[in-house]
Amino acid sequence: MPQSQQPPSERLSGSVERVTFHSPESGFCVLRVKVRGERELITVVGSAASVTPGEYLQAEGGWVNDRQHGLQFKATGLRIIPPSTLDGIERYLGSGMVKGIGPHFARKLVRAFGERVFEVIEDNPERLLELDGIGPKRQKRVTEAWAEQKVIREIMVFLQSHGVGTARAVRIYKTYGEQSVERVRENPYRLALDIHGIGFKTADTIAARLGIPHDSPIRAQAGVRHVLQEIAGEGHCAAWHETLVEQSCALLEIPEPIIQEAIRTELAEERLIAEPIEDRPALFLAPLQRAEIGVARGLERLQLDPPPWGRIDVEKALPWVEAQTGLELSESQRAAVATAVSGKVTIITGGPGVGKTTVVNGILRILRAKGVEVLLCTPTGRAAKRLSESTGGEARTIHRLLEFDPQVMGFKRDQYSPLDTDLLVVDEVSMVDLVLMNQLLRAVPTRAALLLVGDVDQLPSVGPGAVLADLIGSGAVPTVRLTEIFRQAAASRIVVNAHRINAGRMPEPPDAARPDSDFYLIRCDTPEDIHDRLMRVVTERIPSRFGLDPVRDVQVLTPMNRGGLGSRALNVALQGALNPDAQPRIERFGWTYAPGDKVIQLVNDYDKEVFNGDIGRIRSIDIEEGLLTIDFDGRQVVYETGELDEVALAYATSVHKAQGSEYPAVVIPLATQHFTLLQRNLLYTAVTRGKRLVVLIAQPKALGMAVKQTGSSKRLTKLRWRLMEERA
């Protein structure tokens, strides 16, 4: 707007009656304010780190006539002051801002202590016990929440004064506590390392505002580390030296010599480790290099001794197990059982319908008859549940098995306190990343045997590494690949088409003569057609034709998060179609949530025992207390609203997030706009997630690309060579 059109600057003050809108990310707010001398409430638009009804506001700015919303006061500066009138104090305390105080207790507090109520909570909290209904427990909760709220507001004001959104203030407080502002001032780049949801760019913005020079060593080091972490975030354990330099120069826009010096400093401080891969210079984050060495040495150590159960006569054991189960094993299954009962470390791999479960059960039956102690584990809760059902033994997640302790952020089980077992069976090994595999192997006693089961053709783990592929590729671990599809599995078009895709062949559409297929291929010309068909298939066709619940039983799996067919846009559309009227609704971190919504956990939360990829349903939302209850497989878990950046809507999720899970029905959109992610192992993984029904809605060209493309996303690791060296 040219200078001549700027509204003349005025001052306005009054009490905030209603917060119509407030974005914790940007601070932008629309407020309804009671101004002395004005009969009607005034609309004030501006920016504030935090604002609560009942607070007093001082604004500077001017009047504008908005075409849509009428006359508003547009504030260039907003100052929020705690309320001083009794009515304002009551509304301020009753807004749910302080956990433990809702409207009812706010009224009580104001009646008892009047204008001194803030003073009482802060300086004489024992006086709260004078009130009816406030015991030591609630008093402690209120005073702690009050102190927390004060620090969180301080962080919010600090962040906003440096041009950064305030949505993560609660998480910053939870990480750094009382010293939050001090710690961030000292080194803003630690935010990008320590706080989920804050990236390097945000930390860089604060650093620039704090006057840290563009080419300072602290910025160069933080940038180099950030680039290497981003590369690790894509699954690589290392980066080529020249790639790291190139990407760091591009991100930081500073000369190469400064980047090279930053790398030298990081190497000297042992945060990075330089080591060639196939004679080419590469750089590792220190924990990943140590984890690779740990995995190679752990497997070597386990293979030194014979199995704890001694020698088993396989010629007798195989017919015995067939007689016990009433099943006839195929040649590859017999080989798998024989290898596992005769060896110390064994890998069994193969696709759907090849009888991996039958083999594992056969092995367990033989060994249990010998009195062998067995432990079963998997990377995810859902996979553990399936393994328990298929083997009749108790299966746990790896984190539970290793007894993760959130207090010290480490496992209780390790080489000093190993697992008590003769055999450890790990299922869904393709999902286990390098760091977790290292932790697991450390806890396996040298005398014990190890059986690793998984499908090497699926997507590799979300975390760094390609552990299963590297183990098999090294030749250092005896491996049996099951290939024969069993008769009952061959009747499933899901199984047949999964194997066709894995062999680089196009899936077959259902046979017109057999209308009740479990696999459907719908061809569409445009992304818009895919979107329309997908909405109809999920909300109408599958529920009416198959009697499946569109929220509970149907999972949309998409290759990417962004774009019209990404999980973000599809979630908004599906939420609008499947859960439009649920109340109350709450908006946080760019999502709107309501009871009944399906959500997915995005990070491991060890305190709550909820892990990346777990899917739940919102049971209730308590606006007053600022709490949500989410049901994860029958377990009720409570989240504060400030923790909702840990979850996202899950009507649609990325294929990566669905690893290790199975769903009654899966719907997969494939468009050429997804071209960078169209890989055979991605499509194969998506198709094998469906138990009763798979519907593929695709542009023919995109489907062709997905079936043909392999290997371009190969991960950079050194584990294969380390295993070969250990073996040699």
Side-chain angles (χ1 to χ4, degrees):
M1 186 188 275
Q3 203 59 43
S4 60
Q5 293 182 342
Q6 285 279 7
S9 189
E10 283 186 47
R11 287 209 163 128
L12 175 144
S13 57
S15 67
V16 178
E17 296 295 303
R18 192 164 77 245
V19 178
T20 307
F21 176 79
H22 179 247
S23 161
E25 277 89 350
S26 65
F28 175 75
C29 54
V30 179
L31 311 171
R32 298 286 280 155
V33 179
K34 178 87 180 109
V35 177
R36 189 176 291 168
E38 296 284 345
R39 281 179 55 201
E40 300 291 321
L41 294 179
I42 303 292
T43 298
V44 176
V45 177
S47 188
S50 163
V51 60
T52 307
E55 287 180 311
Y56 200 75
L57 165 148
Q58 290 180 348
E60 201 164 299
W63 294 93
V64 294
N65 205 344
D66 185 272
R67 201 174 297 163
Q68 203 178 341
H69 303 291
L71 196 63
Q72 299 177 335
F73 188 83
K74 195 167 188 179
T76 50
L78 274 183
R79 209 165 141 242
I80 306 284
I81 299 161
S84 53
T85 68
L86 291 179
D87 180 50
I89 291 169
E90 187 179 319
R91 290 183 51 248
Y92 175 74
L93 284 173
S95 67
M97 182 199 80
V98 182
K99 292 191 296 265
I101 304 180
H104 171 69
F105 273 105
R107 195 170 308 121
K108 253 189 183 175
L109 287 165
V110 172
R111 275 193 194 145
F113 305 116
E115 289 163 14
R116 291 190 52 247
V117 66
F118 298 149
E119 216 178 287
V120 169
I121 296 172
E122 207 159 314
D123 302 325
N124 309 101
E126 67 283 348
R127 291 203 57 197
L128 296 177
L129 296 169
E130 296 167 15
L131 300 186
D132 231 16
I134 293 193
K137 219 171 175 180
R138 188 182 279 267
Q139 177 234 25
K140 186 169 181 272
R141 193 160 158 227
V142 168
T143 49
E144 279 175 1
W146 180 264
E148 185 178 302
Q149 194 57 39
K150 265 187 78 174
V151 180
I152 289 169
R153 292 196 142 212
E154 198 186 315
I155 301 165
M156 283 179 161
V157 172
F158 170 80
L159 290 175
Q160 198 155 45
S161 67
H162 291 95
V164 173
T166 61
R168 312 280 169 196
V170 172
R171 200 162 284 290
I172 294 171
Y173 171 78
K174 288 206 153 165
T175 308
Y176 304 135
E178 305 284 330
Q179 286 88 41
S180 294
V181 172
E182 210 177 292
R183 300 280 292 277
V184 175
R185 264 208 179 94
E186 215 175 87
N187 179 0
Y189 292 107
R190 67 179 3 140
L191 284 172
L193 292 175
D194 299 343
I195 312 292
H196 164 67
I198 293 188
F200 177 81
K201 288 209 164 74
T202 303
D204 210 24
T205 303
I206 297 173
R209 294 283 190 108
L210 288 170
I212 291 172
H214 189 67
D215 58 357
S216 71
I218 184 179
R219 181 171 183 265
Q221 282 175 246
V224 162
R225 220 167 36 241
H226 166 73
V227 169
L228 197 46
Q229 266 158 343
E230 290 287 291
I231 290 168
E234 290 164 17
H236 304 287
C237 294
W240 301 120
H241 189 288
E242 71 271 22
T243 305
L244 183 60
V245 171
E246 214 173 277
Q247 290 188 17
S248 300
C249 286
L251 172 78
L252 301 171
E253 297 174 335
I254 53 181
E256 189 182 309
I258 298 173
I259 298 290
Q260 295 282 19
E261 185 53 43
I263 289 173
R264 280 193 288 276
T265 309
E266 289 290 292
L267 288 167
E269 290 175 10
E270 293 186 357
R271 282 197 283 265
L272 304 189
I273 291 172
E275 206 182 8
I277 299 176
E278 295 188 83
D279 300 327
R280 216 174 136 191
L283 290 159
F284 290 77
L285 287 167
L288 295 182
Q289 192 256 9
R290 289 188 199 115
E292 279 200 351
I293 291 170
V295 169
R297 287 188 180 158
L299 287 165
E300 177 64 16
R301 167 180 66 83
L302 288 175
Q303 292 187 83
L304 290 173
D305 294 346
W309 50 79
R311 195 183 160 280
I312 287 175
D313 187 339
V314 176
E315 296 303 316
K316 286 182 183 165
L318 287 169
W320 177 83
V321 86
E322 286 180 328
Q324 289 283 309
T325 56
L327 294 171
E328 195 180 324
L329 300 176
S330 70
E331 274 314 302
S332 60
Q333 286 182 318
R334 291 171 77 89
V337 173
T339 305
V341 299
S342 308
K344 194 72 188 313
V345 180
T346 310
I347 295 172
I348 295 170
T349 188
V354 295
K356 292 194 294 290
T357 304
T358 305
V359 167
V360 171
N361 280 333
I363 294 163
L364 293 181
R365 209 173 256 262
I366 292 167
L367 295 179
R368 281 178 178 148
K370 291 258 177 197
V372 170
E373 287 291 326
V374 179
L375 286 176
L376 307 168
C377 68
T378 69
T380 68
R382 286 188 164 202
K385 210 170 169 183
R386 280 206 314 279
L387 185 59
S388 292
E389 285 162 8
S390 65
T391 60
E394 188 206 354
R396 281 174 279 180
T397 63
I398 296 172
H399 286 93
R400 283 231 173 89
L401 183 77
L402 298 180
E403 296 172 35
F404 188 85
D405 181 359
Q407 248 56 55
V408 298
M409 287 306 281
F411 295 100
K412 289 181 183 170
R413 296 295 191 164
D414 55 19
Q415 65 269 48
Y416 308 111
S417 177
L419 297 164
D420 185 15
T421 189
D422 299 318
L423 171 68
L424 178 66
V425 179
V426 192
D427 197 9
E428 297 283 2
V429 179
S430 62
M431 292 179 65
V432 181
D433 65 35
L434 177 73
V435 174
L436 189 56
M437 181 56 87
N438 183 39
Q439 300 281 8
L440 183 61
L441 289 174
R442 283 171 59 195
V444 182
T446 303
R447 66 181 174 79
L450 181 65
L451 176 60
L452 302 172
V453 184
D455 184 349
V456 73
D457 297 315
Q458 282 186 30
L459 285 170
S461 56
V462 175
V467 176
L468 184 59
D470 282 347
L471 262 55
I472 294 170
S474 71
V477 180
T479 300
V480 182
R481 184 164 195 145
L482 304 174
T483 51
E484 192 181 323
I485 304 174
F486 282 83
R487 208 169 43 246
Q488 58 274 40
S492 160
R493 304 315 294 164
I494 296 173
V495 171
V496 169
N497 281 321
H499 284 276
R500 284 181 71 87
I501 290 163
N502 201 27
R505 291 153 67 205
M506 293 289 274
E508 293 175 332
D511 182 351
R514 296 175 53 204
D516 288 336
S517 178
D518 59 2
F519 184 97
Y520 292 87
L521 172 57
I522 301 171
R523 293 186 172 89
C524 292
D525 294 329
T526 67
E528 293 71 27
D529 290 347
I530 294 176
H531 189 281
D532 293 348
R533 290 300 287 273
L534 181 143
M535 293 301 292
R536 210 158 64 242
V537 161
V538 173
T539 60
E540 298 167 24
R541 298 288 299 281
I542 292 177
S544 66
R545 175 93 183 265
F546 296 93
L548 295 172
D549 181 290
V551 180
R552 187 187 62 232
D553 301 326
V554 181
Q555 188 59 53
V556 176
L557 297 180
T558 175
M560 64 203 306
N561 292 315
R562 294 203 174 89
L565 291 171
S567 59
R568 212 173 168 81
L570 288 173
N571 268 312
V572 173
L574 288 162
Q575 182 189 40
L578 296 170
N579 196 28
D581 306 318
Q583 292 294 339
R585 301 180 95 74
I586 189 167
E587 192 181 319
R588 281 293 183 282
F589 304 105
W591 295 103
T592 300
Y593 298 104
D597 275 335
K598 179 156 73 166
V599 292
I600 186 166
Q601 179 76 10
L602 302 174
V603 291
N604 290 338
D605 187 323
Y606 300 106
D607 287 316
K608 292 183 169 58
E609 289 195 10
V610 186
F611 300 104
N612 190 347
D614 286 356
I615 285 183
R617 291 282 289 273
I618 296 176
R619 281 284 158 253
S620 62
I621 297 178
D622 185 333
I623 300 277
E624 191 168 293
E625 294 278 354
L627 300 173
L628 272 89
T629 302
I630 302 177
D631 181 310
F632 288 97
D633 277 336
R635 203 165 64 86
Q636 313 292 311
V637 182
V638 176
Y639 287 71
E640 292 174 20
T641 51
E643 297 175 313
L644 288 179
D645 58 343
E646 286 194 1
V647 298
L649 290 178
Y651 297 96
T653 73
S654 69
V655 181
H656 275 92
K657 288 280 182 203
Q659 280 177 275
S661 294
E662 281 185 352
Y663 312 94
V666 163
V667 179
I668 307 160
L670 279 190
T672 48
Q673 59 182 236
H674 298 142
F675 72 96
T676 51
L677 291 157
L678 294 174
Q679 293 281 334
R680 186 184 297 170
N681 60 359
L682 181 123
L683 178 57
Y684 173 73
T685 302
V687 167
T688 53
R689 300 308 89 208
K691 278 198 293 192
R692 286 171 55 189
L693 179 66
V694 170
V695 181
L696 193 50
I697 309 175
Q699 285 175 285
K701 190 180 173 188
L703 179 59
M705 286 162 80
V707 170
K708 282 189 190 78
Q709 292 192 93
T710 62
S712 66
S713 57
K714 200 163 182 302
R715 295 183 166 188
L716 183 58
T717 77
K718 199 179 175 178
L719 180 59
R720 186 176 299 199
W721 287 272
R722 293 189 205 282
L723 286 160
M724 285 152 75
E725 278 166 22
E726 286 289 337
R727 192 181 179 205

